[in-house]
Structure formats: C-alpha cells, structure tokens
Amino acid sequence: MSAVDFGAFVADLATQSGRAILPFFRAHHGLEDKSGGGVFDPVTEADRAGETVMRQMIRRQFPAHGVLGEEFGNENTEAEYVWVLDPIDGTRAFISGIPVWGTLIGLTRGGVPVYGMMHQPFTGERYSGDGGEARYDGPGGPRILRTRAVSSLAAATLMTTSPALFKGDEAQAYGRVESAVRLARYGCDCYAYCMLAAGHVDLVIESGLKPYDIVALIPIIEGAGGIVTSWDGGSAAGGGRILAAANKSLHEAARALLAG
C-alpha cells in the first residue's frame, strides 16, 4: 500500500459513492433486469453511478490495484491488492424505497479479505472492520462492534434474504436451522450481516452469493468476534453458500443442521 491515509481514502470512497447514489433513491430511475429471464435481478442507474465513482478514485490513488465489481467486471485481479465493490447490495430494497441496502467496499490482499465497509448513505451509517476490530459510525455512534454471546440455537435470531431463494436440498437444510431458532427475519441483504456484527441478531444463512456480496462483510463480522464461512466450513470469500454466526457454538450447531 502507498503512504496515503487509508482510512480517509475509504471514507471518501463511501462519501463520493453515496453522493452519486442518493439522488436515485426514492426517485424515478432507470431499471433493467439482468437475469436473462431467470429470477428477477435488477440493476439501476444508481448502481452504475456509484461503482463508476469508486473505480475512478481507486485508479487515481492506487493504479496497481485490481478491482472486482458487480456492474463493470474485473480489472487486474491478479494484483496483490484487489478492491471488491458492490455499489448497491440490496437493489430490490433500493427500488422499493426501503433503506436496508448498502454500498459494500472490500479489500483483499493475496485473495484474503483484509478490510471492509458497509455504507448506508441514506441513514448515515458506516460499519467497518479489518478482521481484528469492527466499528460503527453514524447516529448514536461511534462505537466498537461486538457480536452477542448467545450460545443456543433455541435463543438465537436468524436472518436470510428470503427462504424462497433456497431450492431442493438447500431449502431442507435451511429449514432445519430455521425450525431450531427462536426468531427468523427476512429481507435485509448486507444489513443482516451488520446487525450480526452489532449484536442484534445471531445467524445469517444465504446461498448463491457472489464475492462482491460478501467480501466486504467478512472483516466486519470477524472483527466483531463472529465467524463467517461457507456451509462446509471453508472460506466465504468466493461467495456461494454462506453461514455467518455470532460465535463458535452457534456456528457449529448451525453447520451440523445444514449438513443434515
């Protein structure tokens, strides 16, 4: 990394991308479905505007770094440092006017997530972490984030984007966990992971994620004391089937049920 003030740079990435995105929120905006006829997968002008701003800033400040982004693909991803960007994680919430979407800004070194931020520009919230510590800045803040100490599934709160996204054996596996917890809530995308890091929920289970959906969230969860892996206990950095838990006990219990 260069001698640039890293924290100030990431904060500026969040600020400038938020300024590009917010004029489109709860306003009339262009919308495309990039699913190709499959499950509805919207993308907006706001997604493209936010990612364009971040890519331009990264190229100027760190020209040797790579970028992996949802809207404009990969650049130099063999580099030591690669930024992983999702300008609007939760586009369905965004187009519905619900503020449970966020901008995900992640950084990997040698393929390992080393820093992440989730910025919600409408509410003015920022959740960030480096794997060793996680923090919140925004209304009522700032503060250090810590996961909850709930150790029993029977006392846990579980979140997922939607149970309808699980199919076949995955749906059965998810159902076993949901039937074991105290409360299940749906529909918050990246916000769910930040609520886990902040100590408000205890588990997040999802499937079909891309790297840009999860990389930025890994250092936040781990920095707050949580665990995030694939369902089989491997790295979550590649996306796919993801299990995030507030602590080791919950992670092991949920993994056992997912495995059947």
Side-chain angles (χ1 to χ4, degrees), residues 19 41 49 91 113 126 141 196:
R19 287 176 179 169
D41 189 9
T91 302
R126 297 182 183 188
L196 188 150

Side-chain angles (χ1 to χ4, degrees), residues 17-18 21 25 34 41-44 46-48 50-51 54 68-71 84-106 117-123 125 127 159-162 165 186-195 204-218 220-221 239-240 242:
S17 60
I21 291 167
F25 185 53
K34 58 181 180 180
D41 189 9
V43 59
T44 70
D47 291 272
R48 298 188 181 102
E51 187 168 322
M54 290 189 286
L68 189 162
E70 180 175 14
E71 305 308 330
V84 184
L85 310 174
D86 190 348
I88 302 177
D89 184 81
T91 302
R92 294 173 183 82
F94 183 92
I95 65 175
S96 303
I98 304 168
V100 289
W101 51 274
T103 298
L104 297 181
I105 304 170
M117 175 181 284
M118 191 284 270
H119 178 217
Q120 217 307 332
F122 185 75
T123 61
E125 296 176 285
Y127 298 81
M159 296 195 75
T160 192
T161 297
S162 171
L165 297 177
Y186 311 138
C188 291
D189 297 284
C190 61
Y191 233 93
Y193 296 92
C194 293
M195 293 302 95
V204 183
I205 298 176
E206 295 195 286
S207 182
L209 298 194
K210 303 297 184 184
Y212 46 74
D213 296 318
I214 191 65
V215 163
L217 298 163
I218 293 171
I220 301 172
I221 294 166
I242 301 300

Side-chain angles (χ1 to χ4, degrees), residues 2 16 24 53 116 139 149 189 197 201 215 222 229 247:
S2 77
Q16 299 307 321
F24 297 95
V53 166
D189 297 284
V201 306
V215 163
E222 293 180 345
T229 68
N247 53 63

Side-chain angles (χ1 to χ4, degrees), residues 39-163:
V39 176
F40 178 54
D41 189 9
V43 59
T44 70
E45 296 172 50
D47 291 272
R48 298 188 181 102
E51 187 168 322
T52 295
V53 166
M54 290 189 286
R55 283 178 179 265
Q56 290 173 345
M57 293 175 66
I58 291 166
R59 286 192 201 106
R60 285 196 300 267
Q61 188 65 63
F62 300 113
H65 288 194
V67 179
L68 189 162
E70 180 175 14
E71 305 308 330
F72 299 111
N74 302 342
E75 298 178 23
N76 192 28
T77 51
E78 298 79 20
E80 179 182 8
Y81 290 99
V82 177
W83 296 84
V84 184
L85 310 174
D86 190 348
I88 302 177
D89 184 81
T91 302
R92 294 173 183 82
F94 183 92
I95 65 175
S96 303
I98 304 168
V100 289
W101 51 274
T103 298
L104 297 181
I105 304 170
L107 181 67
T108 64
R109 183 178 187 184
V112 178
V114 294
Y115 183 85
M117 175 181 284
M118 191 284 270
H119 178 217
Q120 217 307 332
F122 185 75
T123 61
E125 296 176 285
R126 297 182 183 188
Y127 298 81
S128 61
D130 61 6
E133 183 178 271
R135 63 177 293 114
Y136 166 85
D137 289 284
R143 64 179 181 271
I144 299 299
L145 298 175
R146 296 300 301 172
T147 58
R148 282 200 293 211
V150 171
S151 58
S152 166
L153 287 176
T157 297
L158 164 68
M159 296 195 75
T160 192
T161 297
S162 171

